[in-house]
């Protein structure tokens, strides 16, 4: 695959993750709930779950849209790597956070976990982008 | 200074701000020279607006430092994301600045855009050009910059300043004066259409449907990783073939001839050795011979092949020879299990008819130009043999005004099959020197480009071909 395509995909994933990170920081630091946060997390969940099973992959691609967190193979692979590395059941944590079924302290803990997950994705994607830039230069 | 304090954040913001200011300066309007077509000016304007918004955002960024130190690094990394995003923008700015009107085949581009605007959904679209050092037009997805600008806009809290009707096309810097190879630009316009209409999303659903039909219950046995790769790969092949077929609808068989020339394919089917490189599907593009085979299908569907199938040229022969190839003749080159590769190929062949249908559906109500070509090309060809610019031709006892499809395809026909007649007329008959042929081919391109420039003006002033 041409370097420029891989680079573009990494950068896109980083910038889309950043949108979620910004929203989560506002929630955690200023107790502001950004109206779009839940919808953005639900869209992200489809992409995160896609790596679980063939059925979920088919479901993701059947309703691919401009709001999807990922839309390319390399992006899904990166998410899978981060999931394995962090070892948390991130899908459940996101669902719990969205559904508000815990007390405020636990809710905050879930928000921190979700933030760390998307921060890891962003950091890994930015790193991937930088590496691809180096490869392109050499 | 502590790395976690506001002063450090102010300094880092200032550093990024300075970098962005230099990028924006590069595309700031200066004197009258060099001049740019309006789409390029629009592109530069969007970069300047994005730059101004990013600078304003950075100016306020340190004040938003979270009170909770545990969130500091998450907040700070936004500067890294913005820097890398602007690094991506940086890659496009200088190539765009270099593509001024003297560095691009402006009349050809304007004629192409004029025809592109006949497509009902794209009547107000335009294209800015950028230079690339790549020879392959096909390897640079210049329109990704649209996505990057939108994503940065989201991060700095503005609506994207990138005009929704503006596409970006990359042109090899060496081809600023050429014509025939630049027919590949029509393929790049196809990428703009594919992205603008979000066809990736709609084809993704079609690919899932094809997978389900082709593999049946076997689909549930596939690993998610393999399945994702299969869908992604078929989608990439789909986009490339879509863009080829789009180009053929837009400008006709001259696109196929430019493709054959660019990839040096005239003898791709002579024997097993010459065939091998061209029957391979790679993960980013389908096999070249499959593409030529589908070119021919489209040219038959549109009616171009009534004339061109009889043209005596090895460029035409290769298109005809690709017709009997079957799925089993092609090989998928990928680091996947052979069974996965074969299944992926099957799924793609299942999707091909839908790609043809989608392209046809976009051009409903648009004249393919075939009828005009069949009536005027003989006369246009005689003008070109005599070195006369065929902006206006006299035939059927009247003045006629050939349009882009007739001009391009007649010139391409002369290029591939009857350049000797032109050489005879200019007393260079029997010239065997490739250098001489190259010189006169360049002149043929220049005459055609001039005719294209005139044809747009004539059409705008109400002169119709018939």
């Amino acid at each position: 695959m041409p370097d420029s395509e891989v680079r573009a995909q990494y950068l896109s994933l980083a910038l889309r993750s950043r949108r979620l990170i910004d929203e989560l920081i506002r929630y955690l630091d200023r107790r502001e709930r950004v109206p779009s946060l839940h919808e953005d997390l639900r869209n992200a969940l489809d992409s995160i779950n896609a790596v679980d099973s063939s059925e979920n992959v088919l479901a993701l691609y059947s309703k691919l849209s401009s709001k999807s967190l990922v839309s390319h193979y390399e992006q899904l692979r990166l998410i899978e790597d981060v999931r394995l590395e962090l070892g948390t059941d991130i899908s459940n944590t996101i669902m719990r956070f969205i559904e508000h079924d815990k007390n405020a302290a636990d809710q905050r803990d879930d928000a921190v976990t979700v933030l760390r997950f998307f921060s890891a994705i962003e950091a890994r994607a930015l790193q991937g982008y930088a590496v691809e830039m180096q490869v392109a230069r050499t | 200074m502590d790395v976690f304090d506001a002063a450090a954040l102010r300094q880092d913001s200032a550093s990024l701000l300075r970098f962005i200011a230099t990028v924006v300066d590069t595309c700031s309007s200066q004197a009258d020279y060099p001049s740019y077509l309006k789409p390029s000016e629009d592109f530069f304007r969007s970069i300047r607006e994005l730059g101004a918004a990013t600078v304003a955002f950075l100016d306020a960024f340190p004040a938003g430092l979270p009170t909770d130190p545990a969130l500091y690094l998450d907040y700070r990394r936004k500067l890294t994301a913005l820097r890398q995003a602007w690094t991506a923008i940086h890659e496009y700015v200088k190539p765009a600045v270099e593509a001024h009107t003297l560095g691009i085949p402006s009349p050809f581009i304007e004629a192409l855009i004029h025809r592109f605007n006949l497509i009902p959904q794209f009547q107000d679209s335009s294209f800015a050009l950028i230079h690339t050092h790549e020879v392959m037009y096909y390897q640079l997805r210049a329109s990704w910059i649209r996505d990057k600008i939108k994503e940065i806009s989201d991060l700095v809290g503005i609506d994207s300043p990138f005009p929704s009707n503006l596409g970006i096309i990359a042109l090899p810097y060496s081809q600023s004066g050429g014509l025939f190879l630049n027919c590949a630009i029509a393929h790049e316009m196809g990428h703009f259409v594919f992205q603008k209409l979000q066809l990736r999303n709609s084809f993704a659903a079609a690919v899932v449907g094809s997978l389900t039909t082709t593999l049946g219950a076997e689909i549930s046995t596939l690993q998610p990783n393999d399945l994702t790769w299969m869908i992604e790969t078929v989608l990439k092949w789909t986009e490339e073939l879509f863009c080829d077929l789009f180009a053929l609808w837009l400008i006709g068989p001259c696109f196929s001839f430019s493709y054959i020339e660019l990839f040096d394919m005239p003898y791709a089917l002579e024997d097993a050795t010459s065939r091998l490189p061209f029957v391979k599907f790679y993960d980013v593009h389908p096999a070249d011979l499959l593409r030529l085979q589908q070119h021919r299908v489209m040219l038959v569907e549109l009616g171009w092949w009534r004339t061109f199938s009889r043209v005596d040229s090895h460029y035409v022969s290769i298109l005809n020879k690709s017709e009997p190839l079957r799925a089993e003749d092609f090989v998928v080159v990928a680091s996947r299990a052979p069974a996965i590769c074969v299944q992926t190929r099957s799924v793609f062949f299942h999707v091909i008819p839908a790609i043809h249908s989608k392209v046809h559906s976009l051009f409903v109500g648009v004249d393919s130009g075939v009828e005009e070509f069949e009536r005027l090309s003989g006369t246009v060809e005689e003008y070109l043999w005599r070195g006369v610019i065929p902006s206006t031709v006299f035939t059927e006892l009247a003045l006629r005004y050939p349009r882009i499809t007739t001009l391009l395809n007649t010139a391409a026909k002369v290029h591939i099959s009857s350049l000797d007649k032109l050489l005879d007329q200019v007393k260079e008959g029997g010239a065997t020197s490739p250098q001489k042929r190259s010189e006169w081919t360049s002149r043929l391109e220049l005459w055609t480009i001039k005719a294209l420039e005139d044809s747009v003006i004539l059409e705008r002033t109400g002169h119709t071909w018939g």
Side-chain angles (χ1 to χ4, degrees):
Chain A
M1 183 179 299
D3 297 332
S4 58
E5 184 172 346
V6 177
R7 286 209 309 269
Q9 289 172 17
Y10 280 138
L11 188 55
S12 270
L13 180 57
L15 299 181
R16 289 178 184 200
S17 301
R18 169 47 58 175
R19 177 187 163 96
L20 284 158
I21 294 165
D22 283 350
E23 291 171 348
L24 286 160
I25 289 176
R26 283 170 67 180
Y27 169 77
L28 286 164
D29 199 53
R30 299 176 218 161
R31 297 276 180 258
E32 287 176 28
R33 242 199 213 270
V34 184
S36 55
L37 177 57
H38 280 188
E39 189 193 344
D40 289 343
L41 284 173
R42 280 187 200 281
N43 286 329
L45 209 50
D46 288 339
S47 305
I48 294 162
N49 288 339
V51 296
D52 279 346
S53 69
S54 295
E55 287 73 23
N56 286 346
V57 171
L58 295 176
L60 173 71
Y61 281 96
S62 298
K63 54 178 183 179
L64 211 54
S65 81
S66 56
K67 290 180 178 174
S68 303
L69 176 66
V70 308
S71 53
H72 290 88
Y73 175 67
E74 283 72 19
Q75 297 170 334
L76 277 170
R77 275 187 54 187
L78 190 147
I79 289 180
E80 189 178 7
D81 287 348
V82 171
R83 257 174 59 138
L84 290 172
E85 189 176 291
L86 295 186
T88 51
D89 186 354
I90 193 66
S91 299
N92 266 337
T93 311
I94 291 175
M95 280 309 296
R96 273 202 312 265
F97 177 71
I98 291 173
E99 288 168 1
H100 280 285
D101 63 353
K102 299 178 83 178
N103 62 46
D106 288 343
Q107 186 81 6
R108 183 180 167 78
D109 287 346
D110 282 345
V112 169
T113 304
V114 176
L115 172 66
R116 292 283 166 258
F117 177 74
F118 287 110
S119 272
I121 290 176
E122 181 193 47
R124 183 73 66 89
L126 289 174
Q127 189 185 11
Y129 175 78
V131 168
E132 291 295 333
M133 284 291 285
Q134 294 294 333
V135 169
R137 285 192 195 112
T138 53
Chain B
M1 185 187 294
D2 193 303
V3 292
F4 286 101
D5 68 13
L9 196 57
R10 277 196 295 274
Q11 179 165 341
D12 294 348
S13 300
S15 164
L16 177 55
L17 196 152
R18 288 180 63 231
F19 169 66
I20 291 168
T22 57
V23 177
V24 172
D25 277 352
T26 310
C27 60
S28 293
S29 58
Q30 296 170 1
D32 291 340
Y33 177 83
S35 65
Y36 296 92
L37 297 179
K38 185 179 177 299
S40 293
E41 295 285 6
D42 290 342
F43 171 62
F44 294 142
R45 190 177 305 113
S46 72
I47 298 291
R48 289 196 295 272
E49 286 179 26
L50 184 68
T54 312
V55 164
F57 173 83
L58 290 172
D59 216 26
F61 189 67
L65 184 67
T67 51
D68 180 355
L71 299 174
Y72 181 90
L73 280 178
D74 297 303
Y75 186 74
R76 166 63 178 78
R77 201 181 299 107
K78 186 163 184 172
L79 293 184
T80 310
L82 281 171
R83 182 179 286 275
Q84 295 203 354
W86 271 94
T87 304
I89 301 288
H90 177 271
E91 282 187 66
Y92 289 90
V93 170
K94 189 161 184 290
V97 170
E98 287 172 349
H100 48 72
T101 48
L102 295 178
I104 60 171
S106 305
F108 172 55
I109 300 301
E110 289 192 301
L112 261 183
I113 294 173
H114 182 72
R115 173 142 177 84
F116 185 87
N117 289 152
L118 298 176
I119 304 169
Q121 294 176 78
F122 295 97
Q123 289 174 344
D124 64 348
S125 295
S126 59
F127 292 86
L129 264 77
I130 66 173
H131 275 178
T132 171
H133 64 277
E134 302 275 359
V135 177
M136 298 302 172
Y137 300 74
Y138 307 90
Q139 287 186 355
L140 191 69
R141 296 280 182 78
S143 38
W144 281 337
I145 196 169
R146 166 199 308 280
D147 297 336
K148 293 294 152 287
I149 290 179
K150 182 179 184 317
E151 285 158 356
I152 296 174
S153 300
D154 281 349
L155 295 190
V156 300
I158 61 165
D159 292 333
S160 173
F162 195 90
S164 64
N165 58 358
L166 179 65
I168 304 282
I169 287 176
L171 173 81
Y173 68 87
S174 59
Q175 297 303 310
S176 59
L179 177 68
F180 295 132
L181 286 183
N182 282 334
C183 289
I185 289 172
H187 170 100
E188 297 308 305
M189 290 176 151
H191 281 299
F192 170 75
V193 170
F194 200 87
Q195 288 158 16
K196 177 91 171 131
L197 298 180
Q198 299 189 356
L199 295 182
R200 189 173 192 281
N201 298 345
S202 50
F203 273 114
V207 171
V208 168
S210 171
L211 265 164
T212 311
T213 308
T214 310
L215 302 184
E218 206 179 332
I219 204 166
S220 59
T221 65
L222 289 170
Q223 292 297 314
N225 194 302
D226 283 333
L227 188 54
T228 307
W229 180 83
M230 291 172 78
I231 296 172
E232 288 284 340
T233 302
V234 173
L235 283 174
K236 284 172 192 153
W237 295 344
T238 296
E239 180 167 354
E240 291 306 318
L241 182 57
F242 171 90
C243 294
D244 279 8
L245 301 180
F246 178 88
L248 288 164
W249 226 115
L250 192 67
I251 60 172
C254 56
F255 169 73
S256 295
F257 304 140
S258 79
Y259 190 97
I260 291 166
E261 191 162 314
L262 194 62
F263 293 99
D264 197 17
M265 290 185 67
Y267 298 102
L269 273 171
E270 289 310 305
D271 61 23
T273 306
S274 59
R275 172 193 296 219
L276 195 59
F278 302 109
V279 293
K280 290 179 177 173
F281 279 65
Y282 292 92
D283 57 359
V284 282
H285 62 78
D288 293 312
L289 278 168
L290 179 279
R291 293 169 79 159
L292 288 195
Q293 180 192 59
Q294 295 305 314
H295 287 193
R296 186 182 175 283
V297 170
M298 179 55 97
L299 291 170
V300 169
E301 287 169 356
L302 291 172
W304 287 106
W305 219 237
R306 286 196 297 268
T307 302
F308 275 92
S309 63
R310 299 193 303 271
V311 171
D312 182 16
S313 165
H314 52 324
Y315 285 58
V316 170
S317 298
I318 185 67
L319 282 156
N320 279 327
K321 286 178 181 175
S322 67
E323 195 268 334
L325 292 169
R326 296 291 170 259
E328 306 75 56
D329 295 318
F330 296 100
V331 181
V332 177
V333 179
S335 53
R336 298 276 155 176
I340 297 288
C341 292
V342 170
Q343 286 166 334
T344 307
R345 187 185 66 190
S346 300
V347 172
F348 178 61
F349 272 80
H350 202 259
V351 173
I352 287 175
I355 306 172
H356 280 264
S357 298
K358 176 50 79 176
V359 173
H360 283 300
S361 73
L362 290 171
F363 284 91
V364 169
V366 180
D367 178 3
S368 69
V370 172
E371 183 193 347
E372 175 193 328
F373 177 85
E374 289 177 342
R375 281 178 54 188
L376 302 188
S377 71
T379 309
V380 172
E381 198 169 20
E382 286 184 22
Y383 275 54
L384 291 172
W385 289 336
R386 289 176 171 77
V388 177
I389 294 171
S391 312
T392 304
V393 297
F394 187 76
T395 185
E396 301 168 347
L397 299 176
L399 291 174
R400 309 285 181 193
Y401 310 98
R403 297 177 302 178
I404 180 172
T405 42
T406 296
L407 292 168
L408 279 179
N409 290 294
T410 308
K413 184 166 174 271
V414 172
H415 170 50
I416 65 169
S417 70
S418 65
L419 193 69
D420 285 323
K421 293 198 177 177
L422 165 61
L423 295 172
D424 285 343
Q425 292 286 337
V426 295
K427 309 299 182 199
E428 297 270 12
T432 52
S433 154
Q435 195 175 340
K436 278 281 176 217
R437 296 183 78 84
S438 170
E439 281 172 21
W440 285 99
T441 302
S442 295
R443 292 186 192 193
L444 175 65
E445 288 183 311
L446 285 175
W447 301 331
T448 309
I449 288 173
K450 177 61 184 138
L452 287 171
E453 183 175 29
D454 295 343
S455 79
V456 172
I457 296 168
L458 287 164
E459 216 176 327
R460 283 187 180 141
T461 51
H463 294 76
T464 55
W465 71 272

